[in-house]
Amino acid sequence: MLIKSQGNNLLTIIVCIVVTSYCLEVSSNHDPKPGTCPEKCDCGRHLIYLLENQVYIVNCSGVGYVDIPSGLPSKTDALLLTDNNFHNLSHLGPLPNLQLLDLSHNVIQYIDNHWLFEYLPNLHILRLSNNAVRELKHGSFSGLKNLQCLDLSHNILQHVELHAFGGLNHLARLYLDHNKLTDLDRSWFLSMSLLYEVYLSHNLISRLEANGFDMLSQVVHLDLSNNIIKTINSDTFAGLNNLKVLDLSKNKLTSFPADCFQKLPYSEKLILDSNPITRLKTKDISDLNISVLSLSYMHLLRVTESKAFYNLSKLVSLKLHDNPAFLYVNPTAFYNVPHLEKLYLHNNGLMGISPQIQISLPNIKELHLYQNPLHCDCNIYWIKKQLVSGEIHNKSTIFTDSDKLVCDSPDTNINVPLRQVPLPSLSPLCPPTTLPLFQDHYNLSIGQTLSLECKALGVPSPDLVWLLPNGQLNTSAHDKRIVIKEPTLITLKGVLQSDSGTYACKASNVLGFDISSTAVNVANKDLKIVPIGIFGDYITVAWRGTIPRLNLDDFQLNYHTKTSTDQPQKIHLHKLLHRYTITGLKPMTTYEVCLTYLDQYLVHCQNITTNQKTVIKLGITRITNTHIIVGITTFIGSVLTLILIGYLWKKFYTKKGYIDPEGKTHDHMSPIPLENLFQPQSTPLCSSRTALLPNSQI
Ligand SMILES: *[C@@H]1O[C@H](CO)[C@@H](O)[C@H](O)[C@H]1NC(C)=O
Ligand SMILES: *[C@@H]1O[C@H](CO)[C@@H](O)[C@H](O)[C@H]1NC(C)=O
Ligand SMILES: *[C@@H]1O[C@H](CO)[C@@H](O)[C@H](O)[C@H]1NC(C)=O
Ligand SMILES: *[C@@H]1O[C@H](CO)[C@@H](O)[C@H](O)[C@H]1NC(C)=O
Ligand SMILES: *[C@@H]1O[C@H](CO)[C@@H](O)[C@H](O)[C@H]1NC(C)=O
Ligand SMILES: *[C@@H]1O[C@H](CO)[C@@H](O)[C@H](O)[C@H]1NC(C)=O
Ligand SMILES: *[C@@H]1O[C@H](CO)[C@@H](O)[C@H](O)[C@H]1NC(C)=O
Ligand SMILES: *[C@@H]1O[C@H](CO)[C@@H](O)[C@H](O)[C@H]1NC(C)=O
């Protein structure tokens, strides 16, 4: 070690002779006490976390420093400065051996010197976590050619300049989690072609740009969890050719981003937990080269449709647990998933699961079904049968923790462990049980969309129909507004008040039927027409109700005569319009005046009959916009005319005062006293004298 450090000194001296005076300064700083341990610090050779061998550590953690101590031993391999009070990092002496620099848990706000890290050629690990860094400027880390791990987690990073990470050519791990980033920029990663793990969780990222990660062909682990990502572009993950683990849990995805994962050639694990996904649709999860998929802790997930898991030839483990609203797994939800071994379905709301599922999963070894409200009738028969057969032959079944399988219904079996339910008490066939996938009532207002879904369990598989309030079945032929998808999901777009009533789902098989229903109440918009003035050829109406003024934009006012077949006249309401006067009407005629919502839903109508044509009296004048405009124009015109006349008068009068040759005046006016001759400028405008003056001038 001694020889090595002497070698370093020699090198320093040579470099200094050749280059600058700055180095001389630095080496003179270091020369007096090479290798002195700073006050209050702990120095020595130890094994340390993150580095493999015993290294020379200078440990100045938690000693209350406000700046980096000078005169550090140049042989320092690891410098620990956590838990101090650094605000501003602006200088660091040359430490040629330094491999680990830990500056975490300080109050660093700025890394404002681009050359800060220039003299740390061997630095492998830089920890800046738990500080207060808000911004990173271009080249903040330039000089750290050999840095492998950069930890900037738990800061308040908001703004990162495009080339902030420039020069980090050997970086393998980048921690940017627990910051306030809203966007990612492809340029950040330009220099980091060896990046292996990227942690971006707990930020405020809402958007991922297409091809944003295409520089990261070596990345194996990408963590984007705990952000606010709503949608993902199909090219977002293009180029991540070695990705093994992608974590998108705790974001705001409302549906499975089906096409964007197909760009990943092979990924071991895809985590989408805790996203607001409501259903897994047919072929949502198809043709993916993944072995583990997690779709757990999703409190809105209710249904998996047929073939939702389609052609997943590598899938081995599927986690679909802790989804409390998850009531139904379609018997044919799995199609060509030949290697699935572990299926986690515990802690859901499943009342049962079809035996058909086993046919689609030939290699299933573990099925976790405990902590579900099992409905112990024919739907559970196949499970019970396997448990019994397992007991007889003393071998385990696919049902993991089968002791924890407990019946929740029917009444005879509440809270009875399935193991204790005798097999003969269950029948292999039974009438259907409908699943409560809808609420027991819905309060809607006109124009909204009603979506109702019905599922049922039973052996043999039940058929389902919806019974609409008007007694019709689920035919959409009668009503174009009804859309039927996935046999029993009906959607009624733009409900009317007449759609109110009971909607019932009927499930039937050869053994019987089961009906469950919901009450739908469609309320009108609370807005009514009030006539406030009825005359011979015009009427004034206002509107009253609880609709906020700001929402009036969605409403229109129509009117037409009861007899005519003309298109009704249409007026769009808005928040500044409080009343409206309909003009140009015929006397003694009935008009139907209506309010509509979104141009198609009738809200309220009034039949209003105009009066006899009468002479306007009692000072009640009809005021229309035209009248107001004409009135204002006339008024302004009069005022302008008066001002003009005044101006002209003034002008001519003054002119005369100057031009009039004195002698002439004297000739004519000599008898008139001078006092009278002089008229102050405030002479009444229309005095005969003034009016005459211009003429006498001409
Ligand atoms: C450094 O010093 C602090 C405080 O004395 C101590 O808690 C910590 O364990 C030390 N770290 C190492 C790696 O020795
Ligand atoms: C940080 O320190 C450097 C020099 O020590 C100084 O020039 C700079 O203004 C400081 N920055 C802040 C934000 O205090
Ligand atoms: C799927 O992953 C395997 C590696 O396990 C790879 O050999 C294969 O080419 C991948 N298939 C596709 C279609 O990308
Ligand atoms: C299933 O996926 C593989 C690639 O993983 C593809 O080659 C094959 O055509 C797919 N099969 C079907 C039926 O889509
Ligand atoms: C059942 O098999 C297990 C080993 O798989 C063995 O330990 C146990 O004694 C067997 N029980 C009976 C009743 O044969
Ligand atoms: C629907 O309206 C009824 C009264 O009309 C009320 O009792 C009920 O609580 C409302 N339900 C919901 C879910 O708002
Ligand atoms: C109702 O829907 C079911 C499922 O799609 C279908 O089998 C049935 O024929 C439909 N009934 C009518 C009357 O259209
Ligand atoms: C207006 O009159 C017609 C008959 O002419 C009637 O059918 C309609 O219901 C009336 N409307 C209102 C709102 O009273």
Side-chain angles (χ1 to χ4, degrees), residues 264-266 289 314:
L264 301 172
Y266 174 68
N289 211 354
K314 291 269 178 359

Side-chain angles (χ1 to χ4, degrees), residues 283 286-289 310-314 335-336:
K283 293 205 187 173
S286 66
D287 299 302
L288 301 183
N289 211 354
Y310 186 84
N311 196 16
L312 302 165
S313 56
K314 291 269 178 359
Y335 181 86
N336 190 19

Side-chain angles (χ1 to χ4, degrees), residues 542-563:
W543 33 91
R544 305 269 182 267
T546 55
I547 305 286
R549 292 228 149 254
L550 278 176
N551 296 350
L552 284 180
D553 289 5
D554 292 336
F555 293 86
Q556 298 78 35
L557 186 70
N558 299 323
Y559 65 92
H560 61 118
T561 53
K562 299 252 43 189
T563 48

Side-chain angles (χ1 to χ4, degrees), residues 626-655:
T626 344
H627 282 86
I628 291 171
I629 291 168
V630 169
I632 290 173
T633 319
T634 319
F635 176 74
I636 292 175
S638 322
V639 169
L640 284 176
T641 317
L642 289 180
I643 290 172
L644 188 70
I645 292 172
Y647 170 78
L648 288 177
W649 174 78
K650 236 193 255 172
K651 199 173 173 183
F652 285 117
Y653 183 84
T654 337
K655 224 177 173 182

